[in-house]
Amino acid sequence: MKIFSADQIYKADKSTIEKEQISSDMLMERAATRLFEWIHTRLQGAQVNIQLFCGIGNNGGDGIVLARHLQEHGYNIQVHVVNYSEKRSKDFLLNLERLKDRKIWPDFINEDSSFPLISPEDIVVDAIFGIGLSRPLDQWVANLIGHINASRAFVLSVDIPSGLPMDRPPVSEVIEANHVLSFQVPKLVFFLPQTGIYIDQWEILDIGLDTEFLTHEEVGYELIGPPDVLPLYRPRNKFSHKGTYGHAVIIGGSYGKIGAVQLASNACLTVGSGLVTAFVPKCGYHSLQTALPEIMVLTDDDDENIEQITIPFVPNAIGIGVGMGTSEDTAKAFGAFLKKQENPVVIDADGLNLLAKHQELLKSVPAQSILTPHPKELERLIGKWDNDFDKLEKTKKFSSKNDCVVVIKGAHSITIYKDKGYVNSSGNPGMATAGSGDVLTGMITGLLSQGYEPLAACVFGVYLHGLAGDIAVHQYGYEALKASILVENIGRAYQELLRPPNRENSQES
Ligand SMILES: NC(=O)C1=CN([C@@H]2O[C@H](COP(=O)(O)OP(=O)(O)OC[C@H]3O[C@@H](n4cnc5c(N)ncnc54)[C@H](O)[C@@H]3O)[C@@H](O)[C@H]2O)[C@@H](O)CC1
Ligand SMILES: Nc1ncnc2c1ncn2[C@@H]1O[C@H](COP(=O)(O)OP(=O)(O)O)[C@@H](O)[C@H]1O
Ligand SMILES: [K+]
């Protein structure tokens, strides 16, 4: 699903109005009607106290229209206009008049007003600012937002939590939304660590913006869910054999860190690679052979570290770096290995740390190779960033300059290739556990070996990895989720992804 910038949303808005020959207040009416339907479906007329805080722009206008619908259906409402500017929007004013025509008189909150009491049992509708927020809040507006946050009432934000800008981190108070009803498209800020913290849950309301515009407009980011990954899936064919799905090699490990290779190799095999070989220092031989009878093991001459990488065949895919250490000898072996590679490789963990330490090695990394850093590893590679937006821009530049795919791992891992980012939607905090990144490396390598293109292997692999975590969490909970359990659930993740949407229904009938 595409993620649009504020400018693009305004364009979609305009294009809809022109094509459908409707007025802008009709679009506002449509948006607010969707809000009303959402609330009405859940509350069914319950006499809870609903306090609507409306700004003076179109986000406020949405709130005002919603208030009218709620009142018409007998809800218990209080409407507050947060009077932060004289520049009221046309459609806000029009709907304010309509509200007054129905004898609903909002109270106006100004700089010197005292704030209304909000009980924890109330529902707050936050329609103060939408995507038009363009400068820091006046102090009294920030105080009001603080007052709403302190109320512990359920807060439903219209389009985006008020105070949260679309393209940079907030500098003052932001509404902490329990639920955001966002129009038509998700917003990038929902998914970044610095800004996503203000949102508990979010949902898209389809307000029928111009489909042609939405389809053709180029975007910088996409949110990746099942409809985006399913087309990437490469089905198995009946007459295939293990050679069809490639021979993958996982290179890594050092004394005390052989487990990383075990996890990655197991994930690589489980995701469907035809054959998997692990290349480790000698000390890893017995444990790997015992733990994973399906994989083959090659060893370095050194007992504890990788010092020379020799692979006596041409693998279909290679993942390198997990648990590998960063000794000088390993760095040399890694450099020599990179120089020999012609096809994309997957580089993780200490492979990334070595690249950061010896940046001259970057030029030996084959085109379209995959780098899978967590934020610390990314910082070592690209330097410090000012904020999450800057981080993404810097990563895009790095990706373009070095022609590589970068998977920025995190709660919403973002795969960057050149000027485009793919935001993952699966996964959960149970995956913040030792080795879960090693599992991802193995999965992406295993997908590459089966013939997935590098970018597809990342987008598909990251989603499948998160889905395995989401399935596992039902059985284990967050705390007990371990990396090896992720591997055990890769098969279920495939099944879940490929399950026909209405199968449950048809089984019942
Ligand atoms: N196409 C869409 O998605 C639609 C959007 N609608 C609503 O329109 C909203 C955008 O409306 P607006 O563009 O009027 O913007 P907002 O309602 O977000 O903000 C109102 C105005 O406040 C001013 N402002 C910005 N920062 C300020 C600050 N810190 N202090 C004081 N004033 C400030 C700006 O001039 C801005 O236009 C969306 O978020 C959505 O809720 C809906 O009405 C219908 C259709
Ligand atoms: N809060 C979270 N929600 C979803 N996924 C997460 C979360 N925390 C971590 N992950 C995922 O777990 C993996 C952790 O990788 P990494 O930090 O490299 O761990 P390790 O080095 O221990 O293998 C990444 O794929 C990341 O996206
Ligand atoms: K809002």
Side-chain angles (χ1 to χ4, degrees):
M1 190 190 285
K2 288 181 177 180
I3 296 176
F4 290 86
S5 67
D7 275 354
Q8 289 174 313
I9 296 173
Y10 286 125
K11 274 195 211 154
D13 208 356
K14 195 161 165 266
S15 163
T16 311
I17 289 167
E18 282 167 9
K19 277 210 190 122
E20 292 190 27
Q21 305 234 315
I22 54 172
S23 57
S24 56
D25 74 288
M26 284 164 86
L27 192 56
M28 182 176 279
E29 188 70 29
R30 203 193 276 178
T33 305
R34 295 288 95 79
L35 293 171
F36 168 73
E37 288 164 352
W38 190 93
I39 296 175
H40 193 42
T41 307
R42 282 150 189 86
L43 290 187
Q44 299 282 318
Q47 284 306 295
V48 51
N49 198 29
I50 304 176
Q51 302 215 37
L52 299 103
F53 290 85
C54 308
I56 49 72
N58 287 341
N59 193 255
D62 294 337
I64 295 286
V65 178
L66 171 63
R68 169 164 37 89
H69 288 297
L70 287 169
Q71 196 259 0
E72 278 169 3
H73 287 77
Y75 283 94
N76 204 353
I77 60 164
Q78 288 166 47
V79 189
H80 313 281
V81 171
V82 186
N83 214 6
Y84 53 73
S85 162
E86 291 307 310
K87 292 189 200 136
R88 298 166 174 185
S89 83
K90 173 174 86 29
D91 294 331
F92 165 84
L93 284 172
L94 177 68
N95 282 297
L96 188 64
E97 287 313 308
R98 288 177 181 159
L99 198 68
K100 288 178 180 166
D101 289 346
R102 285 165 177 76
K103 309 273 181 272
I104 306 168
W105 310 103
D107 81 276
F108 283 74
I109 307 178
N110 296 303
E111 188 164 5
D112 45 7
S113 311
S114 53
F115 299 147
L117 286 178
I118 309 170
S119 142
E121 282 78 43
D122 292 351
I123 291 177
V124 167
V125 172
D126 153 38
I128 305 173
F129 290 105
I131 61 170
L133 184 79
S134 55
R135 55 184 193 274
L137 305 178
D138 288 348
Q139 192 52 49
W140 70 271
V141 182
N143 292 347
L144 173 65
I145 289 181
H147 174 72
I148 294 172
N149 287 340
S151 72
R152 294 182 27 244
F154 182 90
V155 180
L156 186 68
S157 284
V158 175
D159 209 17
I160 184 170
S162 295
L164 193 57
M166 284 281 279
D167 55 0
R168 69 211 111 97
V171 288
S172 49
E173 220 67 30
V174 177
I175 286 285
E176 290 160 14
N178 293 90
H179 208 100
V180 182
L181 294 176
S182 208
F183 296 131
Q184 202 70 47
V185 286
K187 278 72 182 170
L188 182 62
V189 286
F190 296 176
F191 310 107
L192 307 181
Q194 274 182 325
T195 49
I197 47 171
Y198 299 104
I199 294 134
D200 203 4
Q201 312 241 25
W202 61 271
E203 208 169 312
I204 296 297
L205 295 184
D206 186 345
I207 59 167
L209 292 187
D210 179 12
T211 333
E212 203 185 329
F213 178 90
L214 298 176
T215 312
H216 292 111
E217 182 77 358
E218 289 290 326
V219 291
Y221 295 93
E222 276 186 45
L223 179 66
I224 300 300
D228 310 283
V229 285
L230 268 172
L232 303 177
Y233 175 67
R234 292 171 60 91
R236 297 217 151 192
N237 78 58
K238 181 178 169 181
F239 295 102
S240 60
H241 49 83
K242 61 180 182 274
T244 317
Y245 304 112
H247 189 166
V249 172
I250 302 292
I251 304 171
S254 53
Y255 184 81
K257 289 187 181 164
I258 297 300
V261 180
Q262 183 181 319
L263 286 165
S265 309
N266 199 11
C268 185
L269 190 73
T270 311
V271 86
S273 183
L275 295 155
V276 178
T277 292
F279 185 96
V280 286
K282 270 208 183 98
C283 65
Y285 182 76
H286 290 291
S287 62
L288 281 175
Q289 288 277 265
T290 313
L292 302 173
E294 300 89 348
I295 71 153
M296 295 165 278
V297 183
L298 290 168
T299 60
D300 195 278
D301 284 343
D302 192 73
D303 204 38
E304 302 196 347
N305 289 298
I306 286 177
E307 296 191 347
Q308 195 177 7
I309 302 164
T310 320
I311 299 163
F313 58 90
V314 182
N316 298 87
I318 301 178
I320 184 163
V322 296
M324 190 167 70
T326 55
S327 75
E328 270 314 302
D329 287 334
T330 304
K332 274 191 206 130
F334 179 61
F337 160 82
L338 281 181
K339 286 200 182 96
K340 282 189 280 178
Q341 303 313 308
E342 285 170 8
N343 297 321
V345 290
V346 184
I347 306 176
D348 185 28
D350 284 330
L352 298 171
N353 292 331
L354 285 173
L355 276 185
K357 215 161 120 192
H358 305 272
Q359 297 249 344
E360 73 282 0
L361 290 180
L362 275 171
K363 62 179 186 311
S364 308
V365 174
Q368 291 192 44
S369 283
I370 296 164
L371 277 51
T372 56
H374 58 54
K376 263 280 149 238
E377 290 158 350
L378 183 68
E379 188 184 303
R380 289 180 200 125
L381 268 180
I382 67 169
K384 286 200 185 306
W385 47 79
D386 298 335
N387 56 52
D388 285 343
F389 302 89
D390 187 38
K391 171 177 74 185
L392 292 172
E393 282 314 305
K394 286 199 160 103
T395 309
K396 283 183 170 181
K397 279 200 187 113
F398 179 90
S399 165
S400 299
K401 186 172 166 210
N402 298 293
D403 190 8
C404 59
V405 186
V406 183
V407 178
I408 308 176
K409 292 185 292 194
H412 287 282
S413 296
I414 304 184
T415 299
I416 302 273
Y417 186 54
K418 298 191 171 169
D419 56 0
K420 187 111 186 236
Y422 303 84
V423 181
N424 188 47
S425 65
S426 62
N428 63 74
M431 299 173 73
T433 178
S436 69
D438 304 332
V439 172
L440 179 68
T441 302
M443 290 175 74
I444 294 175
T445 309
L447 292 167
L448 266 189
S449 95
Q450 291 172 75
Y452 284 73
E453 293 299 320
L455 178 59
C458 291
V459 172
F460 188 89
V462 169
Y463 184 81
L464 199 69
H465 179 248
L467 186 56
D470 290 341
I471 293 168
V473 96
H474 289 298
Q475 205 182 341
Y476 291 89
Y478 292 135
E479 286 76 10
L481 192 60
K482 290 187 297 179
S484 48
I485 299 169
L486 291 178
V487 181
E488 281 167 27
N489 280 283
I490 293 172
R492 287 188 195 94
Y494 269 121
Q495 286 172 332
E496 169 69 24
L497 185 65
L498 300 173
R499 189 164 49 91
N502 55 1
R503 197 171 135 203
E504 267 169 31
N505 297 346
S506 59
Q507 271 178 343
E508 275 164 16
S509 60

